[in-house]
Amino acid sequence: MTRPSLATHSRFAQRVRRRYAAELSLLVPGVPGPAQLQATFEALLSQGQNMANALRITRQLVVERLLCQDCEQQLALAQVTQAMTELAEFALNHALTQAQAELDQTHGAPMTAQGQRAELWIVGMGKLGARELNVSSDIDLIYVYDEDGETGGNAQGRSRISNHEYFGKVVRAVYALVGDTTEHGFVFRVDLALRPNGNSGPVAVSLDALEEYLHVQGREWERFAWLKSRVVAPFDSVTSGTTHALRKVVMPFVFRRYLDYSVFDALRVLHRQIRAHAAKRSAGHPERTNDVKLSRGGIREIEFTVQLLQVVRGGHFPELRTRPTLSALPRLVRANLMSEQTAQALAQAYVFLRQIEHRIQYLDDQQTHVLPTQDQDLNWIAQTMGFASSQALLSQLDAHRELVAQEFDKLLGGPEPECKACQNGKQGNGSQTIEELLPQLGEVFRQRLQAWCQHPRVLALRDEARERLQRLLARTAQWVSEARVTEEAAVRLVDWMEPLLRRESYLALLLERPQVHERLLRLLGAARWPARYLLLHPGVIDELASPAMMEERFDTQAFETELAHRRASLTGTGEDDEETLLNLLRRAHHAEVFRTLARDVEGKLSVEQVADDLSALADAVLRVTTRWCWSRLKKAHRKQPQFGIIAYGKLGGKELGYGSDLDLVFVFDDDDDNAPEAYAALVRKLITWLTVKTGEGDLYEIDTALRPNGNAGLLVTSFDAYTNYQQQRGSNTAWTWEHQAMTRARCVLGDASLHERFEAVRKAVICAPRDANSLRAEIAAMRARMASAQPVRADKFDIKYSHGGMIDAEFVMQFLVLSQACAHPELMANAGNIALLECAESLGLLPAGVGHGAASAYRAMRRVQHKARLNETSTQLTAQDMQAERGAIVLLWHTVFDASQPTD
């Protein structure tokens, strides 16, 4: 008697065989691959099916085939997941091609500024990205396009739309072809929730926007998500290598240059949330506790274990940067991060759990990971996996899950509680001497270089070094003649090189690496401030040698970790004296400022990003300096200080600029009798370390005038006294202008409790009951006094102080926050004036267009102000400049303050 096919128990298989009996033969025998998918798809099209139907029917046939081969022939897990992954890639590529072809006819192709077609990349996340897709999985996608721009229009040149809008239409069209449920089902369920800003974000995001998001807002759990990311469509972009630009954005976000243990806590939080969600789902439904994916010891814990080690160590061990879980496990063994026995056990558990997961889904083609409660279904799963009974299956399942849970808990610390003139840098014969080069130069460059003909430092150079210098100057002269760099940059290069002539390594570096030489010249020629900074701190030129430097952003933890390692090395050799540490801090700080400056001048960063990075650097310097000062303080009475720093002004609002001073208030939260004396000594030492000038310069100027009672008050005060002062308790209380300053205040140093308590104080101060009219009058009067103290000529417009300038926008926003934040908590966020102006309009506190117009004007003024500071020029323009922007802020002022306007 013939044994019945095991596949016949699947209700999904029964449905497919009834509905598509005539089509089953279209899928040729064997494991479905790209060729078989294409043949089946084309056959269905030839029968009159449209693309959407053909893709769905193909999917039904593929899953039915895999079910049979998996359950009856024990098909390898890798073959099942590979087939499903190829099906997803096949469907997405066909859907994308058709969607773009149809939209091109209506709107034309999306174009870049360079006249090239803009590309859209479909990024597969999770199991799709890792080629681990299960048989009834949804697919997590993120749509990224390379450049903003506009479409070319239809045949008549009409219907042009932005690239952003075009690609949004593509996403919706692809979803209709792949994700919609029709009479033939779906191809794949599609989930876009992993995109930047989740379901509230745009469905397609530009590469620049993605990069900014990852740098500014990217959370730790997103690093795990992007670890498995892979462009799955279009195939042409993958094979041509154009997607490398996306990889350059993602890789530094996922894999840091240091051992990043902060991800442990992030993973704990994420895992706790997942377990809590699973527990909530299973409440009242005990059968749901047998979730092979999310329950304790499930698939997710294996994936987390592997991904955690990858993310932590992947920056140091590039070989760990692989997507599939089973591929990563042996690599972890080779990197001595996991024992071979553990890796093998986890691999076996992973395969076992994934095979059960597939069989659960084969039953009804449902996206579930919970073991069935019906005995016949459970027995069928056991039988298809070679077990004599469901009891034997469950026993083996329990053993695997217990091992996985133990390894996961162990890892997380227990259960939950070039140039012709220089011959490309090679040594050559007969390079021009300085004297021979002079007639070819412009007047200014020639006069400056003339002094080198008999300069003692030039004459003292070794022949080889002099040869290098001459060729370097020849290349510079050639670039000037080609207008590749400016003559002013060349002069500044000579100024910069003169004190460094004895340091021949710099000559070799610039000669051998033309890109560094050119980058340095561009920096020197871009503005006066970069040139002056390089003259003050010539050693930072080393930073230009890093090819990736321009594409990076300031990394707080890397900065602090590197300083800690350097200090530890100095301590080990007994060289950690105070002067050495002061210089160590200054060199590190100057290098980071220079990196930001270089990216700024090259246009890699917006003004806002520059301010973010400089503010983050200041935060880091304050943390490191405080730790080091406390460790060397004789009056220290405990291991860790109970101390906080509250930043106001530019640092508080994360709008720090080059050379900005820091407005700081120091507080302590310590009941020890020695606390006032100890923290006073700490603050004095801290200010000295930050401001004293050594051979390496200084760090910051510090302004403490915003402390309680200003310059007449104590340098450091208890947090309780600070709270009472701010909240108008007692006779010694804060003024309105101090409350205005509180709108931009931020706790930049202190433990979690202090941060929380400060935020509570800030909220209480901002939300305190106020008479709006009195507040309006007081702020308007304060603005008028400021205008009188900072007079501006009638024919000038001062970006900051004139009526319609930045101060007006800032005062308006401070009024709105202080008067409206209690009713509109969204205004509590220390998000900066631009975001708050937009927010105020969205809340209806400003008429339509007023807030947005003022925000745009403020942003434009910040750019002009930033450029003026880089060039060391005045921020006073002519009265005719920036009239539209000035008008937008004047309108804002009148809207909020009526006729109470400041005078110039």
Side-chain angles (χ1 to χ4, degrees):
M1 182 175 178
T2 305
R3 181 181 178 182
S5 167
L6 285 173
T8 58
H9 179 81
S10 162
R11 292 173 286 278
F12 165 73
Q14 295 169 22
R15 292 197 302 270
V16 171
R17 290 172 179 180
R18 284 195 304 269
R19 178 72 187 273
Y20 302 107
E23 287 83 6
L24 285 171
S25 62
L26 296 178
L27 184 61
V28 299
V31 180
Q36 292 88 340
L37 294 175
Q38 184 66 34
T40 304
F41 177 71
E42 290 177 355
L44 289 166
L45 291 177
S46 69
Q47 292 179 358
Q49 299 288 356
N50 62 30
M51 175 179 284
N53 289 343
L55 288 173
R56 283 159 176 75
I57 297 171
T58 300
R59 186 259 179 193
Q60 304 280 8
L61 303 182
V62 167
V63 177
E64 190 273 348
R65 171 68 55 78
L66 293 175
L67 185 160
C68 295
Q69 293 183 319
D70 194 2
C71 296
E72 297 176 358
Q73 303 172 26
Q74 300 298 303
L75 190 66
L77 173 65
Q79 290 180 284
V80 177
T81 56
Q82 180 69 19
M84 289 304 300
T85 300
E86 289 172 346
L87 173 63
E89 293 171 348
F90 177 87
L92 289 169
N93 273 274
H94 277 283
L96 178 61
T97 300
Q98 175 160 312
Q100 294 198 121
E102 292 176 356
L103 284 166
D104 281 3
Q105 290 184 351
T106 304
H107 301 290
M111 306 302 291
T112 68
Q114 294 74 36
Q116 304 296 317
R117 182 186 180 101
E119 292 188 19
L120 176 69
W121 303 314
I122 303 181
V123 183
M125 310 291 283
K127 288 184 169 59
L128 174 57
R131 297 185 174 90
E132 298 170 327
L133 211 56
N134 62 44
V135 293
S136 191
S137 175
D138 61 354
I139 51 176
D140 296 298
L141 304 178
I142 296 178
Y143 291 82
V144 182
Y145 58 95
D146 59 352
E147 286 189 42
D148 283 308
E150 189 179 62
T151 64
N154 59 20
Q156 291 75 40
R158 299 173 181 172
S159 298
R160 287 189 174 90
I161 58 175
S162 69
N163 288 357
H164 181 77
E165 186 178 356
Y166 175 94
F167 289 125
K169 291 177 181 289
V170 171
V171 173
R172 289 184 282 274
V174 170
Y175 183 88
L177 289 169
V178 174
D180 277 347
T181 300
T182 70
E183 60 175 317
H184 297 289
F186 51 81
V187 189
F188 285 92
R189 305 173 189 89
V190 177
D191 191 344
L192 304 181
L194 290 177
R195 68 186 186 270
N197 297 305
N199 290 326
S200 63
V203 293
V205 62
S206 71
L207 185 60
D208 286 344
L210 173 65
E211 183 175 18
E212 181 175 359
Y213 173 85
L214 294 180
H215 280 308
V216 177
Q217 301 182 51
R219 291 155 290 182
E220 296 294 346
W221 69 262
E222 289 177 292
R223 294 173 61 191
F224 292 94
W226 280 97
L227 170 64
K228 290 179 177 283
S229 66
R230 177 175 61 91
V231 176
V232 297
F235 285 139
D236 289 343
S237 293
V238 178
T239 56
S240 69
T242 58
T243 59
H244 183 65
L246 175 62
R247 184 175 175 83
K248 287 176 64 179
V249 169
V250 172
M251 293 299 284
F253 172 68
V254 176
F255 300 111
R256 308 294 166 81
R257 294 174 300 177
Y258 52 90
L259 303 184
D260 186 9
Y261 284 100
S262 64
V263 296
F264 277 79
D265 282 337
L267 188 59
R268 286 191 187 98
V269 171
L270 179 59
H271 183 254
R272 193 156 50 240
Q273 291 171 343
I274 290 172
R275 276 192 176 173
H277 178 67
K280 185 176 180 180
R281 287 180 65 250
S282 61
H285 301 276
E287 72 277 5
R288 293 181 181 174
T289 58
N290 270 325
D291 189 319
V292 298
K293 179 179 180 181
L294 300 180
S295 294
R296 185 173 185 269
I299 296 167
R300 180 58 52 84
E301 291 194 354
I302 300 175
E303 293 171 337
F304 276 359
T305 299
V306 172
Q307 290 171 2
L308 178 60
L309 293 173
Q310 287 181 286
V311 170
V312 170
R313 299 278 184 164
H316 281 180
F317 299 95
E319 65 270 21
L320 297 181
R321 300 173 188 175
T322 184
R323 300 179 184 92
T325 301
L326 292 176
S327 169
L329 282 167
R331 298 183 185 213
L332 292 172
V333 174
R334 288 194 293 272
N336 295 317
L337 298 176
M338 183 180 288
S339 71
E340 186 169 356
Q341 181 181 1
T342 298
Q344 289 178 352
L346 289 178
Q348 291 168 4
Y350 182 80
V351 172
F352 184 87
L353 292 169
R354 290 298 306 276
Q355 288 176 330
I356 291 182
E357 178 188 46
H358 283 164
R359 281 151 179 77
I360 293 170
Q361 295 173 352
Y362 285 144
L363 285 168
D364 295 292
D365 191 28
Q366 294 296 309
Q367 188 189 6
T368 179
H369 317 279
V370 178
L371 282 172
T373 56
Q374 298 296 319
D375 287 344
Q376 59 268 35
D377 287 344
L378 198 56
N379 288 331
W380 176 79
I381 292 176
Q383 190 176 3
T384 61
M385 292 189 66
F387 288 91
S389 66
S390 59
Q391 288 78 12
L393 170 73
L394 293 175
S395 177
Q396 184 65 64
L397 173 62
D398 287 342
H400 281 306
R401 287 173 59 175
E402 183 59 31
L403 180 142
V404 170
Q406 288 179 5
E407 290 300 325
F408 182 81
D409 289 340
K410 185 192 305 181
L411 183 64
L412 289 183
E416 305 283 299
E418 182 116 18
C419 163
K420 307 167 195 171
C422 57
Q423 302 167 13
N424 295 320
K426 302 290 190 298
Q427 184 73 23
N429 298 318
S431 62
Q432 290 179 301
T433 64
I434 294 176
E435 290 84 351
E436 293 170 339
L437 189 62
L438 291 176
Q440 306 168 30
L441 307 181
E443 180 65 25
V444 178
F445 190 16
R446 182 171 65 251
Q447 287 183 1
R448 179 63 184 87
L449 204 53
Q450 179 78 48
W452 273 17
C453 293
Q454 300 298 321
H455 197 289
R457 289 180 182 170
V458 175
L459 297 176
L461 290 173
R462 296 182 303 112
D463 290 344
E464 184 180 358
R466 188 180 298 108
E467 174 79 12
R468 284 179 177 152
L469 176 61
Q470 290 169 174
R471 294 171 58 175
L472 192 62
L473 292 171
R475 184 164 67 196
T476 302
Q478 180 182 332
W479 287 349
V480 171
S481 69
E482 295 171 349
R484 193 163 163 179
V485 299
T486 65
E487 186 177 25
E488 186 176 17
V491 171
R492 289 175 181 166
L493 177 68
V494 174
D495 292 337
W496 177 80
M497 288 174 61
E498 191 167 284
L500 300 175
L501 286 172
R502 291 195 180 98
R503 298 172 66 177
E504 298 177 7
S505 59
Y506 286 104
L507 298 178
L509 169 65
L510 294 175
L511 187 63
E512 297 293 337
R513 299 194 179 185
Q515 72 278 12
V516 175
H517 179 199
E518 185 175 7
R519 191 175 294 162
L520 174 61
L521 281 164
R522 286 204 301 270
L523 282 169
L524 291 170
R528 292 188 180 90
W529 198 85
R532 188 162 61 86
Y533 192 80
L534 280 167
L535 287 172
L536 290 172
H537 311 294
V540 298
I541 185 65
D542 289 334
E543 303 304 322
L544 290 176
S546 170
M549 187 265 285
M550 287 295 178
E551 310 304 324
E552 297 170 345
R553 291 282 298 278
F554 173 66
D555 188 319
T556 299
Q557 189 162 345
F559 176 80
E560 296 187 35
T561 301
E562 188 171 345
L563 278 172
H565 289 161
R566 290 180 183 177
R567 186 190 179 193
S569 298
L570 292 170
T571 301
T573 57
E575 299 175 274
D576 59 336
D577 59 275
E578 189 158 302
E579 184 178 0
T580 300
L581 294 180
L582 287 171
N583 286 331
L584 174 59
L585 281 169
R586 281 150 178 74
R587 284 193 295 270
H589 171 263
H590 300 332
E592 286 297 341
V593 170
F594 177 69
R595 292 186 186 110
T596 299
L597 176 63
R599 296 166 193 146
D600 181 10
V601 171
E602 289 281 352
K604 300 292 185 179
L605 302 179
S606 66
V607 175
E608 291 84 358
Q609 288 173 319
V610 170
D612 284 343
D613 285 1
L614 292 177
S615 300
L617 173 60
D619 290 353
V621 168
L622 289 172
R623 283 192 295 270
V624 172
T625 309
T626 299
R627 284 197 295 266
W628 290 9
C629 286
W630 185 257
S631 70
R632 303 175 70 89
L633 194 70
K634 294 178 181 179
K635 295 181 181 295
H637 58 286
R638 61 175 69 249
K639 186 174 182 180
Q640 297 296 332
Q642 294 179 351
F643 174 75
I645 300 177
I646 299 166
Y648 287 80
K650 295 295 185 183
L651 179 58
K654 295 185 180 179
E655 295 180 347
L656 210 62
Y658 302 114
S660 293
D661 59 5
L662 307 184
D663 295 299
L664 303 178
V665 170
F666 303 101
V667 297
F668 65 89
D669 188 26
D670 191 334
D671 293 330
D672 191 284
D673 291 341
N674 297 317
E677 184 180 359
Y679 293 114
L682 171 63
V683 171
R684 287 194 296 270
K685 190 176 191 69
L686 178 60
I687 291 176
T688 297
W689 275 47
L690 293 170
T691 61
V692 68
K693 292 186 183 296
T694 72
E696 297 287 344
D698 60 2
L699 290 170
Y700 297 101
E701 291 296 323
I702 305 299
D703 189 338
T704 60
L706 284 168
R707 66 186 187 271
N709 298 305
N711 291 328
L714 297 172
L715 199 56
V716 59
T717 185
S718 71
F719 187 78
D720 287 342
Y722 171 82
T723 300
N724 292 335
Y725 180 82
Q726 293 294 341
Q727 294 187 246
Q728 312 285 350
R729 296 173 184 162
S731 58
N732 183 31
T733 59
W735 297 77
T736 298
W737 65 267
E738 292 176 283
H739 289 175
Q740 288 177 252
M742 184 64 88
T743 64
R744 303 179 71 195
R746 182 168 60 92
C747 185
V748 298
L749 185 143
D751 61 21
S753 172
L754 189 63
H755 275 79
E756 290 175 6
R757 292 172 63 194
F758 168 75
E759 286 302 322
V761 171
R762 180 174 178 270
K763 180 178 181 180
V765 169
I766 291 175
C767 292
R770 294 179 176 87
D771 180 79
N773 290 329
S774 297
L775 178 65
R776 181 183 287 108
E778 192 169 350
I779 292 179
M782 193 181 308
R783 178 67 183 97
R785 288 195 298 271
M786 182 179 290
S788 298
Q790 299 284 344
V792 181
R793 285 169 37 189
D795 62 338
K796 295 291 184 182
F797 171 58
D798 190 296
I799 288 175
K800 183 175 182 179
Y801 292 109
S802 287
H803 183 36
M806 297 171 70
I807 289 290
D808 279 4
E810 292 167 5
F811 271 44
V812 166
M813 203 59 249
Q814 289 164 12
F815 168 76
L816 290 175
V817 170
L818 291 175
S819 62
Q820 301 293 331
C822 189
H824 301 284
E826 298 92 334
L827 294 175
M828 281 290 302
N830 190 347
N833 291 297
I834 294 171
L836 288 173
L837 284 166
E838 298 278 11
C839 179
E841 180 176 314
S842 71
L843 293 171
L845 301 176
L846 294 171
V850 172
H852 177 71
S856 299
Y858 189 85
R859 180 184 288 109
M861 289 182 185
R862 276 192 69 183
R863 292 195 192 106
V864 173
Q865 182 188 57
H866 183 70
K867 186 175 181 180
R869 287 174 176 170
L870 282 178
N871 283 314
E872 297 183 338
T873 57
S874 173
T875 55
Q876 288 195 1
L877 312 179
T878 68
Q880 289 73 39
D881 290 325
M882 303 196 79
Q883 289 188 352
E885 290 82 2
R886 185 179 187 181
I889 293 181
V890 168
L891 176 61
L892 172 72
W893 179 272
H894 281 299
T895 300
V896 175
F897 285 93
D898 298 319
S900 303
Q901 58 178 292
T903 58
D904 285 348

